[in-house]
Amino acid sequence: MLKMLFVGHSASRTGAPIILLNLLQWLRGNTADEFDLYVTETGPLLADFRAIAKTEVLRREPSLGGRLVRRLVGHGRWEVMHDRAFADQVRSRGYQVAYVNTIAPKREIVALTHTRIPVICHVHELDFSMRYWLGKDGLAPLIPGIAHFIAASVAVRDRLLDQWGVAESKVSVVHEFISLEQGLVDRRDARRRVRESLGLSDDDILVGNCGTLDWRKGADLFLQAARVVAAHSRARKIRFLWVGADLTSLDYWKFNQDAALAGVREQITVVESTSRPLDFFAAMDIFALSSREDPFPLVMLEAASMSLPLICFDSSGGGPEFVEHDAGLVAPYLDVGAFATHILALADDAMARSRFGANGRRKLLEHYTLEQQVPKLYDVITALAGK
């Protein structure tokens, strides 16, 4: 029986925290191991985490007394004190291995390297995100203290080896995955309801995407593709749906402004983050993954679970790795014209949509389910425990 520590960067309803939640649920149901969880920030999944494991939020705002101390010693010194206390607490609890989900908790990774506990880092990031979270030096300062890396896709592994010089023996590829429980639900009523709310008939085409409306997810490219499609769709009615936005964010207001000035506001509907995204996926006919960078997006797998044909850019990360030649179409990086042409081609070819969708669902079922991938994560964890 192992005693394990897990560290996550967030309890948000996004890819990496969902992967971590599914892993912990599997451990609770399939092993007798003990484990605790620290997350650096809170979020809507915090209650789900706490239902499984003892969970602490590391970077919450301190008490009044703590804020006074922080003011006296300075913010930088306060962080050093905070991280040292975290390391002391971890050391005292006798964990045999520490699993850090994403590279974002940089401070916690550094603190853990001083505990003599083997540290596994599950990397869900590519170039831009790596620099965003870690700064100009990127991953380089952390590599010596990490015992093993888990790469979320072959694209991530290749970046670790080629860009950062991580030894191949220190990297295992375990692809992202989803649980199929929700994907097996009959959603015909949801499809009818969502399409009726959008004023769509059975013959109309709905092109969808899901995620935050940020630069990395290519929300602006999705909008540009919609503009090109609107100019060339002729008599066919093609509409666009983005699920998962924060309607109070600056990104949303930028997107909305661009849609209005581009003349496509009537063609695009934006829906805020929801606990039932697959109800909206069920209403779609094509999934247009416009990401500039996405290691192996869960929304892509969820779309495949609904037998949706996929469109992505060729240098975006995990998209082309999954789509290949048989689950959709791939456009050259940032070639919005080619991306839009793919949308138009699939809109006019129901047989191609059906064929690509069936192939994507088959690949998902054969390779990318929770039952297939989580045991691989567990094997890496157990192999490193106590070393």
Side-chain angles (χ1 to χ4, degrees):
M1 184 175 71
L2 296 178
K3 187 170 185 180
M4 301 176 286
L5 168 67
F6 290 87
V7 179
H9 80 292
S10 172
S12 60
R13 191 176 283 112
T14 53
I18 291 172
I19 289 288
L20 180 58
L21 178 63
N22 284 330
L23 169 58
L24 297 182
Q25 288 174 331
W26 185 90
L27 288 172
R28 181 61 70 212
N30 293 275
T31 76
D33 296 329
E34 297 179 16
F35 50 87
D36 298 325
L37 171 65
Y38 291 89
V39 291
T40 59
E41 298 177 7
T42 187
L45 294 183
L46 187 62
D48 298 283
F49 282 130
R50 285 181 165 160
I52 303 167
K54 180 181 178 183
T55 303
E56 299 180 41
V57 180
L58 284 170
R59 300 187 195 175
R60 65 171 70 243
E61 184 65 11
S63 63
L64 176 60
R67 293 197 296 273
L68 291 173
V69 173
R70 184 174 62 186
R71 181 177 297 179
L72 287 171
V73 303
H75 193 82
R77 179 59 181 165
W78 167 262
E79 286 188 353
V80 171
M81 294 167 57
H82 185 273
D83 296 346
R84 185 175 298 163
F86 166 68
D88 289 342
Q89 187 177 63
V90 168
R91 193 182 295 110
S92 70
R93 292 185 176 179
Y95 299 113
Q96 295 165 274
V97 64
Y99 170 105
V100 183
N101 190 45
T102 83
I103 51 84
K106 177 181 178 180
R107 287 168 45 196
E108 287 70 25
I109 293 173
V110 172
L112 286 170
T113 61
H114 298 296
T115 65
R116 296 184 178 274
I117 300 169
V119 178
I120 299 168
C121 184
H122 194 162
V123 184
H124 306 267
E125 295 84 7
L126 290 167
D127 304 345
F128 176 80
S129 295
M130 196 82 74
R131 299 288 186 183
Y132 175 82
W133 288 109
L134 300 179
K136 63 182 180 65
D137 294 328
L139 190 65
L142 301 180
I143 293 173
I146 295 174
H148 201 78
F149 293 88
I150 298 173
S153 65
V154 172
V156 173
R157 182 204 61 190
D158 290 348
R159 300 302 200 285
L160 291 174
L161 270 56
D162 300 338
Q163 183 174 346
W164 300 106
V166 178
E168 189 170 0
S169 61
K170 288 183 63 173
V171 183
S172 299
V173 177
V174 181
H175 282 95
E176 308 283 43
F177 56 86
I178 61 171
S179 169
L180 279 182
E181 291 181 7
Q182 288 191 334
L184 297 175
V185 174
D186 185 340
R187 298 183 186 274
R188 283 175 291 186
D189 284 345
R191 177 178 173 86
R192 176 188 51 77
R193 186 173 63 253
V194 171
R195 291 177 72 88
E196 283 182 356
S197 72
L198 297 174
L200 298 177
S201 72
D202 289 339
D203 294 328
D204 298 328
I205 297 295
L206 182 61
V207 181
N209 200 344
C210 181
T212 54
L213 285 169
D214 62 17
W215 176 88
R216 191 172 63 87
K217 295 291 186 181
D220 58 321
L221 304 177
F222 184 82
L223 190 152
Q224 291 174 47
R227 182 183 185 185
V228 175
V229 168
H232 295 86
S233 58
R234 300 179 294 277
R236 178 176 288 280
K237 185 175 181 180
I238 304 176
R239 293 293 181 266
F240 291 76
L241 174 66
W242 189 289
V243 180
D246 177 357
L247 301 188
T248 66
S249 69
L250 182 60
D251 284 331
Y252 171 70
W253 291 109
K254 290 177 180 178
F255 185 90
N256 208 34
Q257 174 85 347
D258 279 346
L261 294 178
V264 292
R265 180 178 279 176
E266 297 303 315
Q267 282 77 33
I268 301 177
T269 300
V270 178
V271 177
E272 62 186 341
S273 181
T274 171
S275 61
R276 297 181 60 87
L278 293 189
D279 284 358
F280 294 93
F281 282 40
M284 299 174 187
D285 301 292
I286 300 167
F287 196 82
L289 187 70
S290 56
S291 299
R292 288 180 168 89
E293 178 181 279
D294 237 335
F296 207 76
L298 297 192
V299 294
M300 173 182 72
L301 300 180
E302 290 171 338
S305 77
M306 306 299 291
S307 299
L308 291 174
L310 299 159
I311 300 173
C312 66
F313 290 115
D314 62 3
S315 298
S316 60
E321 191 173 322
F322 178 86
V323 173
E324 298 178 307
H325 63 281
D326 60 350
L329 300 171
V330 180
Y333 185 64
L334 298 191
D335 190 336
V336 173
F339 196 91
T341 297
H342 287 337
I343 293 173
L344 289 165
L346 289 181
D348 287 335
D349 193 339
M351 290 183 65
R353 295 199 305 271
S354 177
R355 182 176 70 254
F356 286 142
N359 288 339
R361 182 172 171 81
R362 173 186 52 77
K363 279 199 277 192
L364 168 71
L365 295 174
E366 290 178 356
H367 302 292
Y368 304 111
T369 67
L370 181 151
E371 291 76 15
Q372 292 155 335
Q373 297 298 325
V374 170
K376 298 178 185 178
L377 291 178
Y378 186 62
D379 286 345
V380 176
I381 295 170
T382 54
L384 269 291
K387 290 189 178 181

